[in-house]
Amino acid sequence: MSISKIGILGGTGFVGRSLARRLSDAGYALKVLTRRRAANQRALSLLPNLELVETEIHDQAQLTAHLTDCDAVVNLVGILNGRGTSGAGFYHAHTELSDKVIRACREHRIERLLHMSAINADATGGTSHYLRSKGAAEDRVHAAEELNVTTYRPSVIFGQDDSFFNRFAGLIRLMPGVFPLACAGARFAPVFVEDVARAMADTLTGPAHFGKRYDLCGPRTYTLQELVEFTARCTARNRLVIPLPDFAARMQGLAFDLSGFIFPVLGIEQPFSTDNYRSMQVDAVCPCNDLETLGIEPATVESIVPAYLKTQYLGSE
């Protein structure tokens, strides 16, 4: 299989920017599809051999047309919250888009697909709409006989522009003294964004990776409370983290669901939801960490996170 040009969906996002840099350095031509070209041009404009194309990826005709000259496709698209509680937004972003990618690849006889999923994704047994929609998308791309698919299932991903440590740092700054925390006992094995990008780039070619679903985790497991307390220390905020009882955590999720329309107006992401609560009922850890299988030594939270949190948040109170 010869690959020279790669189409990337979600290439302007957190993981996408890291992967694009790595693939560009490896000499691949890249076509990154985005709804807002002007807003993302600066972040990717310095990469050689990268074409940033404004389009609506959920429009089948547009998606198919823009992938016409690609030899492989990477789908990184994902959302953590959707409007309402029906789950329709998750299935639209994850499952329905994957169906459209399959059709576009079939139209152009593109055989190689790298697909971003999530740890614990399960179409029938997932505890949330997020996990079930991710699992359904996984199953559909792997069932497409025309495609050689590799799926990546990371725990929470951290790095300079992450939406995990940065989000909690921002919330901690706004909550003086006491920080009430839902699902404080939920367990995670945070994985460095550059390790995820390397795993994807290293497995782009080679039949040994076809059909595989790789679980990607960092080297240590933490409770959510430990990670929030670590964030507070990194940003020099003295906060008492108070775990919420299960009933209160459920009520917090419902409250954010009902007020979810406010957050887009304010230009911020919804901090928590009922679907987030449900996702955190199962630990986001790897039974077997495939980073090690791929010969990648995962970076620790302690070696990466303090530097960027201190730069962005220390002294801003």
Side-chain angles (χ1 to χ4, degrees):
M1 178 184 298
S2 177
I3 296 175
S4 59
K5 190 168 188 176
I6 305 168
I8 305 180
L9 286 66
T12 60
F14 172 50
V15 177
R17 293 192 298 273
S18 293
L19 180 60
R21 286 192 295 269
R22 189 171 289 271
L23 293 175
S24 178
D25 289 344
Y28 292 102
L30 306 176
K31 179 182 281 190
V32 175
L33 308 185
T34 177
R35 288 182 296 171
R36 295 180 292 272
R37 184 178 184 275
N40 292 292
Q41 190 166 8
R42 184 176 180 181
L44 296 170
S45 62
L46 297 179
L47 295 181
N49 303 321
L50 186 145
E51 179 186 3
L52 195 60
V53 178
E54 183 164 334
T55 190
E56 174 49 71
I57 60 172
H58 291 280
D59 182 286
Q60 183 71 66
Q62 293 185 49
L63 176 64
T64 302
H66 287 304
L67 293 179
T68 184
D69 55 346
C70 295
D71 308 303
V73 175
V74 178
N75 183 7
L76 299 169
V77 175
I79 61 171
L80 292 175
N81 285 302
R83 292 184 179 181
T85 59
S86 69
F90 291 107
Y91 285 94
H92 175 68
H94 302 150
T95 316
E96 294 173 15
L97 179 60
S98 293
D99 288 339
K100 294 169 185 174
V101 170
I102 292 170
R103 288 193 286 270
C105 288
R106 183 181 294 126
E107 176 72 20
H108 299 303
R109 298 184 180 179
I110 299 170
E111 297 180 4
R112 188 69 174 119
L113 173 63
L114 306 188
H115 178 83
M116 179 63 79
S117 187
I119 200 75
N120 298 320
D122 188 324
T124 57
T127 56
S128 64
H129 291 304
Y130 172 78
L131 293 175
R132 289 193 295 275
S133 63
K134 280 285 192 179
E138 260 192 59
D139 292 345
R140 293 188 188 189
V141 295
H142 279 278
E145 294 182 358
E146 308 90 341
L147 288 175
N148 296 314
V149 179
T150 305
T151 293
Y152 307 87
R153 299 160 49 93
S155 183
V156 62
I157 304 175
F158 68 89
Q160 179 73 38
D161 301 314
D162 68 51
S163 61
F164 186 82
F165 287 104
N166 280 293
R167 179 182 299 184
F168 279 111
L171 293 172
I172 287 169
R173 181 175 56 185
L174 297 173
M175 299 288 290
V178 175
F179 190 91
L181 181 64
C183 304
R187 297 167 69 241
F188 300 87
V191 59
F192 185 35
V193 64
E194 294 299 336
D195 292 336
V196 174
R198 178 182 169 187
M200 298 185 76
D202 287 357
T203 56
L204 174 62
T205 59
H209 306 296
F210 297 171
K212 294 295 182 65
R213 307 188 193 206
Y214 289 124
D215 289 348
L216 308 179
C217 285
R220 287 188 56 192
T221 298
Y222 311 79
T223 65
L224 182 59
Q225 182 170 350
E226 289 172 333
L227 293 172
V228 172
E229 291 173 341
F230 173 77
T231 303
R233 292 195 298 272
C234 288
T235 55
R237 263 86 179 182
N238 185 18
R239 301 291 186 268
L240 178 62
V241 179
I242 303 296
L244 291 176
D246 185 70
F247 175 78
R250 288 173 179 267
M251 290 301 99
Q252 187 183 79
L254 178 60
F256 280 123
D257 290 342
L258 295 175
S259 59
F261 65 93
I262 295 175
F263 299 105
V265 176
L266 298 176
I268 60 175
E269 294 186 38
Q270 185 171 329
F272 190 61
S273 69
T274 298
D275 210 73
N276 296 154
Y277 167 85
R278 291 170 177 161
S279 290
M280 285 191 282
Q281 299 312 296
V282 58
D283 293 334
V285 300
C286 295
C288 176
N289 190 356
D290 287 313
L291 280 180
E292 298 170 357
T293 303
L294 297 171
I296 300 171
E297 183 178 355
T300 65
V301 164
E302 292 80 3
S303 67
I304 303 294
V305 174
Y308 67 81
L309 286 187
K310 287 177 182 178
T311 298
Q312 296 182 65
Y313 295 96
L314 190 58
S316 62
E317 191 171 63

